Structures are given as structure tokens and as C-alpha cells.
């Protein structure tokens, strides 16, 4: 392993750039290259923390195989690489898992640099019971969506979803159907300018967003056995 580079999985701010950790800054300064979803967004963060001239590698869901090959080559040449996403912790409903798996096969060191995560941020201010929760992430858009919802409704646990503004009404309607009697907590635009936290029944949340063009990413927490 000493003859191979280290892969750092670096968490970056969800919105507020002040949330980046000192260790994340030092790691991003020290590595040879940074793999990121969007080089433009990454450049904004890097300028904010005083980093310039760093080699950036575009790494997202649509070029994953090619990007992984490039990153592995760097690691094999004893160069260190940091992975960041547009926001939060890589590999949590974001690119990263396939790269981590391949890096272990080299074998290379894979080191986490912990920090912001939308799911933990939302759960920390959730007024519903979250001592036991199942993270479902994003549901399939079409195939397998119904069966996934049926499975999740059968679990004796709080369920956590990620959802986009384009599908939030659809998800809330499905929660109303599959999680009858549940309570819902919504965290929207976490740490950003228009962040919002709401709690109520699925029908109340549907009413809240009806007629509104929803914006921002959503964390939706469902407590299925509300009293």
C-alpha cells in the first residue's frame, strides 16, 4: 500500500460554505487531484477556502466508468486524490461507492474526512422518533417503485427519503397512501438561504406544497406509527 496513493472521501458543505471542516480544507490543499461532480461548483468552494491551481477531475453518474479509470491510474502512480460531491458526503446517494470498491481492490487506502450530510443534519432537528431509522435515499423513478414502497411500509422503523422538487408531491401522495396514519417531517434547503423545516400529516404536507413551485432538495422523514 505504501507504493499507492490514498483516496480521501471528503464531505463538503450542503449550502453554507462556513460548514466545511478544518480537516477537509487541509486535505483538499494537500492532495494532488480533486474529483468532483461539477467543476464549476467545486471551483466556487475552492476559491472560498483559498485553494487555486488544483487539478480537477469531473466525476459524476454519467462518466463514472471513465472517471474511475483515471482516478485509479493516479492512485497507482502514488498520487493522492480527494473525492467531493456538489454537497454533503460522497457515496451517500451520490457518486462514490463504485470508486471506493475499486480502490480497495488495488489495494489503496481509503480515508473518510467526515462532515456535512443532509440525512444526519435533518435527523438532528427532527421532532419525530429517529433512534431507529431506515435510510431509503431516492426511490426508483418508475420500475420497482411500488414494490419498494410496499417493502418500506412493512418495516417497523422511521423511514428517511431524499427527494427532488420535481417529485416531492408524488412522494407525499404515495406516503399518504402507503403509510396511513403516519407523521412526516420535511427538511428543505438544509443550511441554505431558504431552509425550511415542517412537520405534520402527509395530507397537511400535500396542502402546504399544493400550488407552489417547490424548490430545493428535500429530506423527508416518515414516522409510520404516529399516535
Amino acid at each position: 500500500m505504501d507504493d499507492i496513493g490514498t483516496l480521501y472521501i471528503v464531505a463538503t458543505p450542503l449550502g453554507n460554505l462556513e460548514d466545511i471542516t478544518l480537516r477537509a480544507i487541509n486535505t483538499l490543499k494537500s492532495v494532488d487531484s480533486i474529483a468532483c461532480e461539477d467543476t464549476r461548483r467545486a471551483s466556487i468552494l475552492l476559491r472560498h477556502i483559498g485553494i487555486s491551481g488544483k487539478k480537477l477531475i469531473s466525476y459524476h453518474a454519467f462518466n463514472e466508468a471513465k472517471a474511475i479509470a483515471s482516478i485509479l491510474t493516479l492512485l497507482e502512480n502514488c498520487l493522492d486524490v480527494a473525492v467531493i460531491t456538489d454537497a454533503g458526503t460522497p457515496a451517500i446517494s451520490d457518486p462514490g461507492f463504485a470508486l471506493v470498491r475499486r480502490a480497495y481492490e488495488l489495494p489503496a487506502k481509503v480515508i473518510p474526512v467526515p462532515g456535512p450530510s443532509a440525512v444526519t443534519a435533518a435527523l438532528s432537528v427532527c421532532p419525530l422518533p429517529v433512534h431507529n431509522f431506515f435510510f431509503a435515499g431516492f426511490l426508483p423513478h418508475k420500475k420497482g417503485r411500488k414494490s419498494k414502497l410496499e417493502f418500506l411500509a412493512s418495516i417497523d422503523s422511521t423511514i428517511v427519503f431524499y427527494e427532488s422538487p420535481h417529485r416531492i408531491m408524488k412522494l407525499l401522495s404515495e406516503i399518504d397512501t402507503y403509510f396511513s396514519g403516519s407523521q412526516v417531517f420535511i427538511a428543505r434547503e438544509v443550511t441554505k438561504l431558504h431552509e425550511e423545516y415542517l412537520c405534520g400529516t402527509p395530507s397537511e404536507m400535500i396542502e402546504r406544497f399544493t400550488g407552489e413551485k417547490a424548490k430545493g432538495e428535500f429530506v423527508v422523514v416518515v414516522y409510520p406509527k404516529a399516535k
Side-chain angles (χ1 to χ4, degrees), residues 8-12 19-25 27 88-90 111-117:
Y8 294 93
I9 307 301
V10 182
T12 55
D19 288 337
I20 193 164
T21 67
L22 293 174
R23 186 180 172 209
I25 294 172
T27 300
T89 302
I111 304 296
V113 181
S117 170

Side-chain angles (χ1 to χ4, degrees), residues 90-110:
I92 309 300
S93 290
D94 271 323
F97 166 73
L99 173 60
V100 167
R101 191 179 182 102
R102 291 290 303 279
Y104 271 97
E105 292 170 357
L106 281 180
K109 288 181 181 178
V110 181

Side-chain angles (χ1 to χ4, degrees), residues 159-161 168 171-172 175 184-186 218-222:
I159 310 295
V160 183
F161 298 95
I168 186 62
L171 176 62
L172 290 174
I175 291 171
V184 175
F185 173 73
I186 289 179
F218 291 76
V219 181
V220 182
V221 182
V222 182

